[in-house]
Structures are given as C-alpha cells and as structure tokens.
Amino acid sequence: MAGLELRELECFLVLSEELHFGRTGERLFVSQSRVSQLLSALERRVGGRLVHRTSRRVALTPLGERFVQRLRPAYGGLRDAVEDARAAARGVEGSLRIGFQGSADTRLTAAVRAFRAAHPDCATDLVEIPLADPFGAVHAGTVDAAVVLLPVEEPDLVLGPVFSRRPQTVAVGRDHPFASRTAVTAAEVAQAPLVTAAPPAPAYWRAAHAPSAVPGPAVSTLQEGLTQVAAGRAAMLLCRPTATYHRREDVAFVPVEGVPESALGLVWHRDGETAAVREFARAVGEHRGPGPRKSPVVA
C-alpha cells in the first residue's frame, strides 16, 4: 500500500473497460502518453504485467483480469465513502422522491422530518405508489426510493432498512363466518378467497399477501380491496395497525394465528444509489425502533 496512487488505479479501471489508450485518455482528460505512464507505474508497484499491448490490440493479462475483479468493488466502496464524507461536509443537495404504498407509516414520516432537518438543501417529496405496482416507480426512476411491503426479490433493487413488523388480521364482511370469531388460523384463511393485488405486482409478492388456494378478486388499491371485502366477495389480509386505522362498520378485522408478520422495507435501484438515498436510508434505520403502533399501510 506504500505510495499507492489512486489516479493509477482509476486509469487502470477505465482502461480495462475501454481497452484503448486513446479513449481512456479522453475519458480521463489526459494524453495517451500519460495513460501509458500511469499504467507502467502501477505495473511496477504490482510487480507484474497487467495489460498486453500491441499496435493493434489491448487486452488484460490473467493477472490484470484477477486484479480488476478485486479492485473494482474496493474502488467503488472508496468512492462512495468519499462521496458520503463530502455530502456530510456540505449537506446533501438536490431532491429526493420517496414512494410509499397506502399511507405513510409514522416511522417513515419521522425519518423524513429527521432527513429534512439534517439536509435542508435537499427537497424531499413523498409520492404514493399503487398497491398493485410496488416496484414499478423505482424501476422507472420516477422515485429515488420506495417504502414497500416485503418480500422483495427484485435482483436490480437494494433492500435497505426493514421496519414496522406487525401481526396480521383478516378483514371480512360482517356476514362472513369469521366475523364472530376471536381469532382464525392460517389454515382456515388459506381456504377462503382472498383479495390479491392485480398485476403488474410480481406473482411471488401477490402470493405472499394472499396465501390462499381459492382465487379472489384482484385490486389496484387498498380501498378497492376493502370495498370487495365489505361486499362479501372475499377476505383480505391486513397488518393490525392498518386494520385499526381503517375500521368501518361493514367490515370485521379478526387476528390470524400462524402467519408471518407484515413488514416494510426501503428499496432503491442499484444503479440509482446516491448520497441522498444513503442518508435517507440511515434516517429510516435510526427511526425503525419501537414507536406508535399506527401503520396505515396495507399488509
């Protein structure tokens, strides 16, 4: 590590992508001869040839291939650390759009307030996203991050802080056989038609929130689901705070035994991670502990 030059590492990483000294120089705003100098200096430090160079072709050596595979994530981590330090020094600027399903959890709004207080130069907006499309806005880039119901199995999304773990209830119409019960089991719920989210919600996500062998109506919003429940067409799983928040005379909410708790998570796109997103994720993580048990988000 003695005498390690970051400019040499940066030059090698760019060259490994371009495999052309002229284009590498253009990207780094240096001459082609300077690229050669930086690469030669790095090879001397490493003690071996990293690049095969001929008049017609540039290619990584086996040592160069191995080095770039180890170097790229380490360099990315170093760059992110520098960006975070700069952001902390000057405050995060620009804008941040956060998506949420149903209604904003109290811990989410607390995190937003904390983020705004710490970064007043960053404009923060909360945007409701459809129940039936939990990940679409993040994929499309219309929000920078989103608070969604778990599970999340999207390979291009990063799952950040997980919070608001809550017991679940089943919402049923007042004439439903479950309505007079003090509790029902997961097996009983699995035999009842359940409201499910409509596409484009992924199949695995829909199944997690409607674990029933009996098909039920597909809806796009929470209110559509509760309307189907009140009309006696199906039951619907909701976390307990959501049930409390949405109590209505024509719907009964019955605790369910033996089903996993509901949980929320903050997600963002791997290619869209910014200092503002990382700072907001930190704020969410700091506000996910015990708090008021009011979470008006469908579960």
Side-chain angles (χ1 to χ4, degrees):
M1 294 293 288
L4 187 65
E5 292 288 342
L6 291 179
R7 190 62 166 170
E8 296 171 6
L9 300 178
E10 181 183 23
C11 178
F12 173 64
L13 287 173
V14 174
L15 183 60
S16 72
E17 297 173 358
E18 296 291 346
L19 296 177
H20 190 280
F21 280 71
R23 290 195 298 269
T24 298
E26 291 174 1
R27 280 181 57 178
L28 296 175
F29 301 101
V30 298
S31 66
Q32 184 170 326
S33 61
R34 180 57 177 159
V35 173
S36 296
Q37 292 171 2
L38 290 168
L39 178 62
S40 296
L42 180 60
E43 288 178 328
R44 288 195 297 272
R45 295 182 198 281
V46 171
R49 185 63 62 87
L50 300 173
V51 175
H52 284 306
R53 288 160 281 186
T54 69
S55 59
R56 296 183 177 181
R57 185 170 178 267
V58 176
L60 297 180
T61 66
L63 177 62
E65 293 279 4
R66 179 181 177 184
F67 185 44
V68 76
Q69 290 175 6
R70 297 290 301 275
L71 176 61
R72 194 177 301 281
Y75 186 85
L78 180 61
R79 182 191 58 220
D80 291 345
V82 172
E83 289 180 358
D84 284 347
R86 286 175 175 171
R90 69 174 185 268
V92 174
E93 301 173 344
S95 63
L96 182 69
R97 288 171 63 84
I98 304 297
F100 64 91
Q101 290 180 288
S103 185
D105 179 270
T106 52
R107 293 186 179 91
L108 173 60
T109 56
V112 170
R113 290 194 298 271
F115 178 85
R116 285 174 173 168
H119 307 288
D121 294 328
C122 184
T124 307
D125 292 324
L126 288 171
V127 180
E128 185 175 359
I129 58 178
L131 171 68
D133 193 10
F135 312 119
V138 180
H139 284 138
T142 55
V143 299
D144 300 294
V147 173
V148 298
L149 281 157
L150 303 188
V152 177
E153 299 178 6
E154 310 302 292
D156 55 348
L157 300 187
V158 177
L159 175 59
V162 173
F163 60 104
S164 197
R165 296 186 182 276
R166 302 300 190 200
Q168 298 212 56
T169 68
V170 62
V172 294
R174 288 293 178 182
D175 296 331
H176 194 280
F178 291 169
S180 61
R181 301 273 296 275
T182 57
V184 295
T185 66
E188 290 174 309
V189 169
Q191 298 304 313
L194 292 180
V195 169
T196 186
Y204 75 84
W205 193 90
R206 298 199 306 269
H209 297 288
S212 173
V214 184
V219 302
S220 297
T221 69
L222 171 60
Q223 291 304 322
E224 285 180 14
L226 287 174
T227 299
Q228 296 282 6
V229 169
R233 292 198 59 201
M236 186 176 187
L237 282 179
L238 299 171
C239 69
R240 186 171 295 168
T242 303
T244 301
Y245 186 82
H246 289 283
R247 288 203 177 280
R248 45 189 290 175
E249 293 182 356
D250 52 359
V251 174
F253 298 91
V254 185
V256 182
E257 299 172 345
V259 295
E261 288 185 319
S262 169
L264 301 175
L266 180 69
V267 299
W268 59 88
H269 201 281
R270 292 188 185 279
D271 296 335
E273 184 172 318
T274 64
V277 169
R278 288 192 291 272
E279 286 298 306
F280 184 74
R282 183 176 294 114
V284 172
E286 291 173 352
H287 289 81
R288 63 181 173 183
R293 297 185 67 84
K294 177 183 178 183
S295 177
V297 181
V298 64

